Amino acid sequence: MAIGVKALPFSFVAHFLAVVGAILVLIWCIVFRGGLAWEDTNKNLIFNIHPVLMLIGLIIIGGEAIMSYKSLPLKKPEKKLIHLVLHAIALVLGIIGIYTAFKYHNESNIANLYSLHSWLGIGVISLYGLQWIYGFLVFFFPGGPTTLRSESLPWHVLFGMFVYILALGTASLGYLEKLTFLQNNGLAKYGAEAFLVNFTAIITILFGTFVILTILSQPQQEDDYSYTTI
């Protein structure tokens, strides 16, 4: 299935939203939350790395990786390599981001994996990793037989969309969870920070929406490894 609109306009909107989202999460964590630190007596600075890496890494760079097949006017091998590398970067940043959440919890004597957000987060990063490994082995190196690749492609795309949508939902739960904690500890419900967090969540969802619209639209140029098989 594909809608009868070229991918490029949708991807331009997604790129713009990606920049806005990255700026907003950095303003939140640096200006309002005090900054980022790998080691610090203020353990909240360690946690601040988590939303930054999860949004910029898994959501934004991961979304750019998904769109690369539709929005880049390049040949198939070049698009495949860009797709693979961007997903690898997103996966690594996501793993580091999840590690910082565990690090913050452990150093602050807070229990791990008690919330739906954390359960889904572990599921997302695990499925993301499995998807990347399968894609690398079947479509890149050593590469599966032509029949396997052609039969796997629609499922690879659909599973990738599922994981990405799940990641968007998990991120939204994360914003809600953190903002609820902050408000329970005295943050003004109608203050600037609360509005900033909610707007960041909305931008995240809108970015994901335009990523999906991009991959459901017509590519810049057709090839047998495009997303037109959906």
Side-chain angles (χ1 to χ4, degrees):
M1 182 188 72
I3 58 179
V5 180
K6 287 293 185 181
L8 202 58
F10 289 130
S11 68
F12 281 158
V13 177
H15 299 328
F16 172 75
L17 292 171
V19 173
V20 174
I23 291 172
L24 290 179
V25 77
L26 288 170
I27 290 174
W28 177 35
C29 292
I30 295 174
V31 177
F32 285 91
R33 293 287 95 208
L36 312 172
W38 190 259
E39 296 288 347
D40 201 279
T41 54
N42 181 359
K43 303 306 177 183
N44 291 317
L45 302 188
I46 298 173
F47 176 83
N48 290 346
I49 299 174
H50 176 72
V52 170
L53 291 187
M54 300 314 291
L55 178 58
I56 295 178
L58 205 65
I59 300 296
I60 292 178
I61 297 179
E64 294 290 344
I66 292 172
M67 292 189 294
S68 62
Y69 261 120
K70 280 295 183 75
S71 61
L72 296 177
L74 302 173
K75 294 183 179 179
K76 180 177 65 180
E78 296 167 333
K79 290 193 291 186
K80 185 192 299 187
L81 181 60
I82 291 171
H83 180 78
L84 183 76
V85 171
L86 287 178
H87 271 312
I89 294 171
L91 179 61
V92 170
L93 292 179
I95 291 171
I96 297 172
I98 289 178
Y99 173 78
T100 58
F102 278 95
K103 179 178 171 65
Y104 162 73
H105 280 204
N106 292 336
E107 295 185 13
S108 303
N109 296 316
I110 299 173
N112 289 304
L113 299 176
Y114 62 86
S115 68
L116 178 61
H117 170 68
S118 61
W119 291 5
L120 290 176
I122 294 299
V124 165
I125 203 69
S126 300
L127 293 175
Y128 203 108
L130 290 173
Q131 170 83 336
W132 189 88
I133 292 170
Y134 184 83
F136 179 83
L137 294 176
V138 173
F139 298 107
F140 192 75
F141 181 82
T146 302
T147 302
L148 175 62
R149 283 181 287 163
S150 62
E151 292 178 353
S152 296
L153 182 59
W155 296 105
H156 179 71
V157 173
L158 288 174
F159 186 72
M161 289 177 62
F162 166 73
V163 173
Y164 190 70
I165 292 171
L166 186 60
L168 291 169
T170 304
S172 299
L173 282 176
Y175 292 124
L176 175 62
E177 182 178 299
K178 182 62 176 178
L179 186 55
T180 301
F181 286 153
L182 292 174
Q183 290 174 338
N184 287 340
N185 285 290
L187 182 72
K189 289 181 171 59
Y190 295 99
E193 183 174 355
F195 280 110
L196 176 66
V197 175
N198 283 335
F199 277 121
T200 306
I202 290 171
I203 291 296
T204 302
I205 293 169
L206 287 175
F207 171 74
T209 300
F210 277 91
V211 169
I212 300 302
L213 287 172
T214 299
I215 65 175
L216 291 177
S217 58
Q218 300 295 329
Q220 288 298 101
Q221 57 189 44
E222 299 288 344
D223 61 53
D224 58 339
Y225 278 84
S226 192
Y227 285 142
T228 50
T229 51
I230 297 178

